Amino acid sequence: LKLSLWDFGGQEVFYTLHHLFLTRYGVYVVTFNMQWLSAQAEEETVQRCFRFLRFWLSSISLHTRVPAGEHGGAPIILVGTHKD
Protein backbone atom coordinates (compact mmCIF):
# COMPACT_ATOMS: atom_id res chain seq x y z
CA LEU A 1 0.00 0.00 0.00
CA LYS A 2 1.46 3.33 -1.02
CA LEU A 3 0.10 6.48 0.60
CA SER A 4 0.93 10.04 -0.44
CA LEU A 5 -0.49 13.06 1.38
CA TRP A 6 -0.68 16.48 -0.25
CA ASP A 7 -1.72 19.69 1.45
CA PHE A 8 -3.24 22.25 -0.90
CA GLY A 9 -3.19 25.37 1.24
CA GLY A 10 -5.57 27.24 -1.03
CA GLN A 11 -3.24 29.87 -2.43
CA GLU A 12 -4.34 31.02 -5.88
CA VAL A 13 -0.80 30.74 -7.23
CA PHE A 14 -1.17 26.93 -7.09
CA TYR A 15 -4.56 26.66 -8.83
CA THR A 16 -2.90 26.03 -12.20
CA LEU A 17 -1.21 22.92 -10.77
CA HIS A 18 -4.42 21.16 -9.74
CA HIS A 19 -4.55 19.09 -12.91
CA LEU A 20 -1.20 17.54 -11.95
CA PHE A 21 -2.29 16.33 -8.53
CA LEU A 22 -6.06 15.84 -8.57
CA THR A 23 -6.94 12.45 -10.09
CA ARG A 24 -9.87 10.07 -9.83
CA TYR A 25 -7.65 7.67 -7.88
CA GLY A 26 -7.35 9.92 -4.83
CA VAL A 27 -9.37 10.40 -1.68
CA TYR A 28 -9.93 14.08 -0.90
CA VAL A 29 -10.43 15.73 2.48
CA VAL A 30 -11.68 19.32 2.36
CA THR A 31 -11.37 21.04 5.73
CA PHE A 32 -12.99 24.29 6.78
CA ASN A 33 -13.47 26.30 9.94
CA MET A 34 -17.02 25.71 11.21
CA GLN A 35 -16.94 29.01 13.11
CA TRP A 36 -17.12 30.70 9.69
CA LEU A 37 -20.61 29.21 9.31
CA SER A 38 -21.91 29.83 12.83
CA ALA A 39 -24.83 32.07 13.63
CA GLN A 40 -22.39 34.57 15.15
CA ALA A 41 -20.31 34.87 11.95
CA GLU A 42 -20.71 37.92 9.75
CA GLU A 43 -22.59 37.36 6.50
CA GLU A 44 -19.47 38.18 4.46
CA THR A 45 -17.53 35.47 6.33
CA VAL A 46 -20.28 32.92 5.74
CA GLN A 47 -20.39 33.72 2.02
CA ARG A 48 -16.58 33.55 1.76
CA CYS A 49 -16.64 30.09 3.37
CA PHE A 50 -19.32 28.88 0.93
CA ARG A 51 -17.28 30.24 -2.02
CA PHE A 52 -14.21 28.43 -0.68
CA LEU A 53 -16.10 25.14 -0.34
CA ARG A 54 -17.77 25.52 -3.74
CA PHE A 55 -14.42 26.22 -5.40
CA TRP A 56 -12.70 23.17 -3.93
CA LEU A 57 -15.60 20.80 -4.53
CA SER A 58 -15.90 22.02 -8.12
CA SER A 59 -12.15 21.76 -8.74
CA ILE A 60 -11.95 18.23 -7.36
CA SER A 61 -15.03 17.22 -9.34
CA LEU A 62 -13.67 18.70 -12.56
CA HIS A 63 -10.27 17.02 -12.31
CA THR A 64 -11.49 13.62 -11.05
CA ARG A 65 -14.32 12.88 -13.47
CA VAL A 66 -14.66 9.32 -14.68
CA PRO A 67 -15.22 8.59 -18.37
CA ALA A 68 -18.82 8.40 -19.59
CA GLY A 69 -20.40 5.04 -18.82
CA GLU A 70 -18.17 4.33 -15.83
CA HIS A 71 -19.37 4.50 -12.25
CA GLY A 72 -17.65 5.89 -9.22
CA GLY A 73 -15.32 8.75 -8.80
CA ALA A 74 -13.01 10.11 -6.19
CA PRO A 75 -14.49 10.27 -2.69
CA ILE A 76 -14.58 13.67 -1.01
CA ILE A 77 -14.73 13.99 2.77
CA LEU A 78 -15.77 17.31 4.33
CA VAL A 79 -14.24 17.98 7.75
CA GLY A 80 -15.38 20.93 9.85
CA THR A 81 -12.90 22.16 12.46
CA HIS A 82 -13.10 24.58 15.42
CA LYS A 83 -16.60 23.42 16.40
CA ASP A 84 -16.06 23.70 20.15
Side-chain angles (χ1 to χ4, degrees):
L1 174 68
K2 181 179 178 179
L3 178 67
S4 296
L5 300 175
W6 295 89
D7 177 10
F8 289 93
Q11 295 88 348
E12 288 184 36
V13 69
F14 298 117
Y15 289 177
T16 57
L17 299 176
H18 285 181
H19 71 282
L20 299 174
F21 297 98
L22 302 179
T23 71
R24 64 181 170 151
Y25 304 107
V27 175
Y28 299 91
V29 179
V30 177
T31 61
F32 63 98
N33 185 334
M34 290 184 67
Q35 290 178 339
W36 296 346
L37 298 176
S38 72
Q40 293 81 22
E42 295 180 13
E43 183 61 24
E44 180 181 331
T45 301
V46 172
Q47 292 306 314
R48 188 171 14 132
C49 184
F50 281 129
R51 281 193 306 272
F52 165 83
L53 290 171
R54 192 175 311 118
F55 169 79
W56 279 103
L57 295 175
S58 296
S59 186
I60 293 168
S61 176
L62 172 72
H63 295 293
T64 63
R65 288 201 173 129
V66 295
E70 289 187 26
H71 296 286
I76 302 172
I77 302 165
L78 294 175
V79 176
T81 64
H82 297 85
K83 171 68 173 98
D84 46 344

